[in-house]
Amino acid sequence: MKPILEIKDLHVHFYTYAGVVKAIAGVSFTVYEGETFALVGETGCGKSVTSRAITRLIESPGRIVKGSVIYHTKDGRKIDLLKLPEAELRAIRGKEIAYIFQDPTAALDPLYTSGYQVAEAMVVHRTVRSWKDGIKRAIEILRSVLIPDPEKRVKAYPHELSGGMKQRVVIGTSLSNRPRVLIADEPTTALDVTIQAQILKLIESLKRRHNATVMLITHNMGVVAEIADRVAVMYAGKIVEIGNVFQIFKNPQHPYTKGLLKAVPNPLIKVEKLESIPGTVPNLINPPPGCRFHPRCPFVMDVCRVEEPPMVEVEPGHQVACWLYTKR
Ligand code: SF4
């Protein structure tokens, strides 16, 4: 497997009046070409911030304070996106690395037609020669994302489209330049349950057709089981476990991953009360020392309260950061 993105020791801080929020604290992982890599965890664990930091989309008061994001280009070069001049990064962002954001209503501009917005991505990156060509391509793209009657919908404004259709337009915009990496940040959260499965299937089939790599950001373990190849579990700004989808679902090792999976309702098993992880996510202005999960962990030991556990391999391709698996 060839790496396409290598995120190394990433740190992102937010400078607020209440103090410095250490939102991402030393996140490292590799995404390989052609795979669907899922980043999962509770709301506020840092998944979206990590995905946005990849192409420096962190807005003030946030700042990337440390780390590197190595992008492997098609012609075999390795470039650190965090050090690239803004103009060069802009040529990659939206063209080679594209995003599908959570809320299609917020992602689309209400003043422009869907066709204009799909065409604009191609005109800006000069993958079409003119606006006329862009609109022609936009009709084809809307058809490929299964929008009925694309010749008519290309002239529709966002308020004239349903939620599912708006998300299809957003996906079309993201795919218009045939990106090598597609970062989908909770792409189905704002949609009805009936539409969610259709959108996931669409992302999967487009990924195969364009031979793209997908990085999926989600808190929904059902979605992960459905389409991911490999999974990284995040807690309080850190990766606590990485493995392939079978290792994570069949043989989870980290107490937090086990808790997350137990909290997923199983329609085949009747239970009085759903399991939950006791306690709340820590305040990242003053995160707990040692293992950030220790105040909620049923297996906590003395070492967990003072020293951060290193990431260790428990089986080929399966890594976990927990003192239960490491000799101090
Ligand atoms: Fe629990 Fe300690 Fe493992 Fe953290 S390092 S998950 S506190 S056992």
Side-chain angles (χ1 to χ4, degrees):
M1 287 198 294
K2 267 169 57 188
I4 192 161
L5 278 175
E6 289 177 84
I7 288 82
K8 292 179 187 170
D9 198 24
L10 185 69
H11 291 250
V12 180
H13 291 175
F14 287 84
Y15 297 84
T16 69
Y17 287 117
V20 181
V21 181
K22 290 115 191 154
I24 306 296
V27 160
S28 301
F29 60 90
T30 302
V31 182
Y32 295 97
E33 235 182 291
E35 73 171 349
T36 298
F37 179 84
L39 202 51
V40 301
E42 287 166 281
T43 302
C45 71
K47 319 177 286 282
S48 294
V49 175
T50 303
S51 72
R52 284 170 172 261
I54 289 174
T55 62
R56 303 206 310 247
L57 284 175
I58 302 291
E59 285 175 4
S60 177
R63 202 184 309 150
I64 300 168
V65 291
K66 199 177 161 196
S68 60
V69 174
I70 308 298
Y71 172 56
H72 294 242
T73 63
K74 221 173 177 179
D75 56 7
R77 284 175 302 130
K78 291 184 198 175
I79 44 181
D80 186 351
L81 299 180
L82 301 189
K83 293 205 177 102
L84 209 60
E86 183 57 32
E88 287 176 47
L89 181 61
R90 236 182 279 140
I92 291 176
R93 190 196 293 135
K95 187 166 186 240
E96 296 186 35
I97 302 175
Y99 287 82
I100 300 172
F101 290 113
Q102 194 176 122
D103 181 358
T105 306
L108 292 173
D109 190 326
L111 298 177
Y112 294 95
T113 62
S114 60
Y116 178 94
Q117 299 191 54
V118 176
E120 187 186 28
M122 293 180 279
V123 171
V124 166
H125 287 290
R126 301 203 181 107
T127 46
V128 287
R129 271 176 296 177
S130 63
W131 275 98
K132 203 174 158 201
D133 287 352
I135 296 292
K136 260 197 223 158
R137 271 281 296 141
I139 294 173
E140 285 166 34
I141 288 167
L142 293 186
R143 185 172 289 116
S144 77
V145 294
L146 308 178
I147 290 197
D149 205 355
E151 289 83 1
K152 189 174 152 201
R153 305 276 189 226
V154 82
K155 296 180 196 138
Y157 287 88
H159 73 271
E160 296 174 295
L161 302 171
S162 66
M165 251 194 252
K166 273 188 258 194
Q167 190 59 307
R168 285 166 205 267
V169 173
V170 172
I171 294 172
T173 310
S174 309
L175 289 170
S176 58
N177 291 308
R178 306 211 168 164
R180 295 180 70 219
V181 183
L182 186 63
I183 300 178
D185 186 358
E186 306 267 12
T188 58
T189 304
L191 303 175
D192 289 349
V193 187
T194 48
I195 306 295
Q196 288 184 2
Q198 291 175 15
I199 295 293
L200 288 176
K201 264 195 204 142
L202 179 67
I203 294 175
E204 257 301 279
S205 76
L206 293 169
K207 177 206 153 196
R208 259 183 266 121
R209 202 182 312 159
H210 296 293
N211 205 16
T213 303
V214 172
M215 187 172 152
L216 177 72
I217 315 299
T218 183
H219 63 269
N220 187 332
M221 296 304 267
V223 169
V224 174
E226 189 86 13
I227 67 169
D229 298 311
R230 284 193 317 123
V231 185
V233 182
M234 270 192 95
Y235 180 77
K238 287 181 178 289
I239 302 264
V240 296
E241 187 163 2
I242 302 187
N244 69 40
V245 71
F246 299 104
Q247 290 166 335
I248 297 294
F249 279 82
K250 293 279 177 210
N251 189 25
Q253 299 293 310
H254 197 281
Y256 176 64
T257 315
K258 289 181 184 174
L260 261 190
L261 289 169
K262 271 198 206 149
V264 178
N266 184 341
L268 301 176
I269 302 171
K270 199 174 169 206
V271 287
E272 287 294 317
K273 207 172 149 204
L274 274 177
E275 296 247 8
S276 63
I277 301 172
T280 52
V281 277
N283 177 346
L284 295 183
I285 293 176
N286 280 313
C291 169
R292 286 187 171 188
F293 188 57
H294 86 248
R296 302 172 78 185
C297 181
F299 307 102
V300 60
M301 302 169 280
D302 287 344
V303 62
C304 309
R305 296 190 177 93
V306 287
E307 232 177 288
E308 197 180 314
M311 190 65 106
V312 291
E313 191 161 72
V314 285
E315 59 181 315
H318 188 179
Q319 295 168 312
V320 60
C322 173
W323 283 116
L324 291 173
Y325 306 94
T326 315
K327 281 203 184 91
R328 199 177 167 199

